[in-house]
Amino acid sequence: MARDVQLLEKGFSPGKALGLFAKAHPLSGGIASFVGKVRPDGDVKVLELVSYEHLTLPGMETLANMVEGRWPLDGLLIHHRTGYLRPGAAIVLVAAAARHRRDAFEAVDFAMDHLKSRSWFWKREKRSDGWHWIEPREQDHEDASRWDI
Amino acid sequence: MARDVQLLEKGFSPGKALGLFAKAHPLSGGIASFVGKVRPDGDVKVLELVSYEHLTLPGMETLANMVEGRWPLDGLLIHHRTGYLRPGAAIVLVAAAARHRRDAFEAVDFAMDHLKSRSWFWKREKRSDGWHWIEPREQDHEDASRWDI
Amino acid sequence: MAVTVVFIGKLADLAGQGEREVTAPLEWADLAGVLGEDLASALDNDRTKIAVNGAVLADKRSLRAQDGDEVALLPPVSGG
Amino acid sequence: MAVTVVFIGKLADLAGQGEREVTAPLEWADLAGVLGEDLASALDNDRTKIAVNGAVLADKRSLRAQDGDEVALLPPVSGG
């Protein structure tokens, strides 16, 4: 199992990272992936993702352990931004390479649900009336609760 | 909804197609995708994917209609090979861009299940002892039955 | 006065060819006589379907093809 | 003889700073007095957690930080 877990302080290209991941796993039957971006709707000018060094990256490694323990994968990639992001910028890329497609799908689905509402990130948006802290939607909590986490 | 449905007779680069798809949907919050490749295990030398012109591409368009009717998407891409493929070659790429991540995930998951066991393709493998027609695994039928299709 | 019968996948192996012209009209009851025992028994499989001019028959036993029609014999699918 | 208290996210807004040095030892019962009413009531929220040196406390009321420890006050998370 090749693992690539990164907490990124600068902008990144999910397409490029995904291309490299695919090249690194030529033997896998399937690769599932998800890219999450800052939605350029409303009047959101900037998004800030706050991390805490003693928890955020270690927590992402723990998440990777959970994913690897739960599904037989050939490779797992979790890249997540921290810092200030403009609308349209990539926040997160998760990719899983596996022999069987459902394993790859579920691994990515699970990791995204965890990152949304169970990982050590804090998010705020700057709108025309100032900064607002964002908490997970009810839907995010329901998504995560599907996995007994 | 931008739709890109293709039946491809030659090899393609899923990474490149996915990069273009992401660029075409800068406003979507999330993009889920799946790449399926010829698994280079066993002694499989060549895979042939047979299509039937009166059904295969029209059926992929019908599948795209079903997906679009079921989930609110900004964009949907379905590329599937036909012809002879070497181990490691990409067979299929499905990508969905959506405002909400579960919609993108489920759209790709559904489309893949349909392509595996409900779409108009026929698959055979050439091994050292000759050609063998491949039917969907029991798991593929179970996957598809989750969706009432 | 011909119907084109297209054999797909393993049915093409059984038929030894990809397609064949047969005399119109062509109905379900004619198939065993026209195509032979091996193909006829493959056609009995519930998962083998028949399309006429690209339209899959809900009940393949209702087959009634006319001159110029293309009848495709479709074994169980497998893609992705 | 100091404990570093780190305020994360909206708790940093409430505290008006990102971290503060307070006198060691630091226990749960001390927090309201040391940090003020506003922060103390935010800490009462079940979804606000406390970590000591990167280890999240299962029961935040068991907090007992010594000299040199880093205590992080963690509001509800939101990533992705």
Side-chain angles (χ1 to χ4, degrees):
Chain A
M1 239 292 310
R3 178 200 287 197
D4 178 3
V5 175
Q6 295 186 40
L7 180 62
L8 301 166
E9 296 183 0
K10 293 192 174 170
F12 72 108
S13 161
K16 190 173 172 186
L18 200 50
L20 292 170
F21 182 76
K23 272 190 191 151
H25 298 94
L27 304 184
S28 300
I31 295 177
S33 67
F34 182 82
V35 178
K37 296 185 288 182
V38 183
R39 275 202 299 266
D41 47 20
D43 64 344
V44 175
K45 289 155 182 40
V46 186
L47 185 82
E48 184 186 7
L49 279 156
V50 172
S51 55
Y52 175 51
E53 64 170 330
H54 291 303
L55 286 177
T56 307
L57 185 55
M60 290 169 70
E61 295 284 358
T62 303
L63 170 58
N65 288 341
M66 290 168 66
V67 173
E68 289 169 23
R70 202 149 170 164
W71 292 278
L73 302 180
D74 298 328
L76 176 64
L77 178 152
I78 302 176
H79 288 183
H80 199 295
R81 275 295 311 276
T82 182
Y84 295 94
L85 288 82
R86 294 273 168 200
I91 302 173
V92 60
L93 167 65
V94 174
R99 181 178 170 85
H100 296 297
R101 105 182 156 284
R102 295 227 53 73
D103 293 328
F105 259 118
E106 292 183 5
V108 174
D109 200 8
F110 171 85
M112 277 306 308
D113 284 347
H114 194 284
L115 289 163
K116 274 281 177 181
S117 65
R118 300 286 190 272
S119 292
W120 298 107
F121 291 98
W122 298 268
K123 190 160 65 176
R124 61 175 185 160
E125 294 174 353
K126 188 178 189 181
R127 306 196 201 113
S128 50
D129 61 347
W131 286 99
H132 301 265
W133 289 99
I134 309 298
E135 296 199 7
R137 300 169 302 149
E138 187 52 40
Q139 181 65 49
D140 292 318
H141 288 299
E142 284 169 21
D143 290 345
S145 68
R146 296 180 302 148
W147 307 100
D148 313 317
I149 53 175
Chain B
M1 240 292 310
R3 180 200 285 197
D4 178 3
V5 175
Q6 296 187 41
L7 181 61
L8 301 166
E9 295 181 1
K10 294 191 173 168
F12 72 108
S13 160
K16 191 172 172 186
L18 200 51
L20 292 171
F21 182 77
K23 272 190 192 153
H25 298 94
L27 304 185
S28 300
I31 294 176
S33 67
F34 183 81
V35 178
K37 296 186 286 184
V38 183
R39 274 202 300 263
D41 49 19
D43 65 341
V44 175
K45 288 156 182 39
V46 186
L47 184 83
E48 185 186 7
L49 278 156
V50 172
S51 55
Y52 175 51
E53 63 171 329
H54 291 303
L55 286 177
T56 307
L57 186 55
M60 290 168 70
E61 295 283 359
T62 303
L63 170 59
N65 288 342
M66 290 167 66
V67 173
E68 290 168 23
R70 204 151 169 164
W71 291 279
L73 303 179
D74 299 328
L76 176 64
L77 178 152
I78 303 176
H79 288 183
H80 199 295
R81 276 294 310 276
T82 182
Y84 295 93
L85 289 82
R86 295 273 168 201
I91 302 173
V92 59
L93 168 65
V94 174
R99 181 178 170 83
H100 296 296
R101 105 183 157 282
R102 294 228 53 74
D103 292 328
F105 260 118
E106 291 182 5
V108 174
D109 200 7
F110 171 86
M112 278 306 308
D113 284 347
H114 194 283
L115 289 163
K116 275 279 176 182
S117 64
R118 301 285 189 272
S119 292
W120 298 108
F121 290 97
W122 298 268
K123 190 161 64 177
R124 60 174 185 160
E125 294 174 352
K126 187 179 189 179
R127 307 195 199 115
S128 50
D129 61 347
W131 285 100
H132 300 266
W133 289 100
I134 308 298
E135 296 200 6
R137 299 169 301 149
E138 186 52 39
Q139 181 65 49
D140 292 318
H141 289 298
E142 283 170 21
D143 290 345
S145 69
R146 297 180 303 149
W147 307 101
D148 312 317
I149 53 175
Chain C
M1 299 297 279
V3 170
T4 303
V5 179
V6 176
F7 306 99
I8 304 280
K10 65 182 180 188
L11 298 181
D13 290 352
L14 269 180
Q17 59 191 158
E19 58 180 72
R20 186 187 304 178
E21 304 275 304
V22 304
T23 308
L26 179 69
E27 302 195 4
W28 173 258
D30 306 327
L31 287 172
V34 171
L35 303 176
E37 280 304 317
D38 285 356
L39 275 165
S41 74
L43 290 176
D44 267 338
N45 181 334
D46 279 348
R47 292 163 65 213
T48 302
K49 299 187 188 306
I50 295 182
V52 179
N53 302 327
V56 180
L57 301 178
D59 172 13
K60 62 191 170 190
R61 289 169 179 79
S62 71
L63 173 68
R64 183 162 308 191
Q66 309 295 331
D67 180 42
D69 283 349
E70 177 167 313
V71 173
L73 308 184
L74 311 162
V77 296
S78 179
Chain D
M1 298 297 280
V3 170
T4 304
V5 179
V6 176
F7 307 99
I8 304 281
K10 66 183 179 188
L11 299 181
D13 290 352
L14 268 181
Q17 58 192 156
E19 57 180 73
R20 186 187 305 177
E21 304 275 303
V22 303
T23 308
L26 180 69
E27 302 196 6
W28 172 258
D30 306 325
L31 288 172
V34 172
L35 304 175
E37 279 305 315
D38 286 356
L39 276 165
S41 74
L43 291 176
D44 267 336
N45 182 333
D46 279 348
R47 293 164 65 213
T48 301
K49 299 187 188 307
I50 295 181
V52 179
N53 302 327
V56 181
L57 301 178
D59 172 11
K60 62 190 169 190
R61 289 170 180 78
S62 72
L63 171 68
R64 183 162 309 191
Q66 309 296 331
D67 181 42
D69 284 348
E70 178 168 311
V71 172
L73 308 184
L74 310 162
V77 296
S78 179

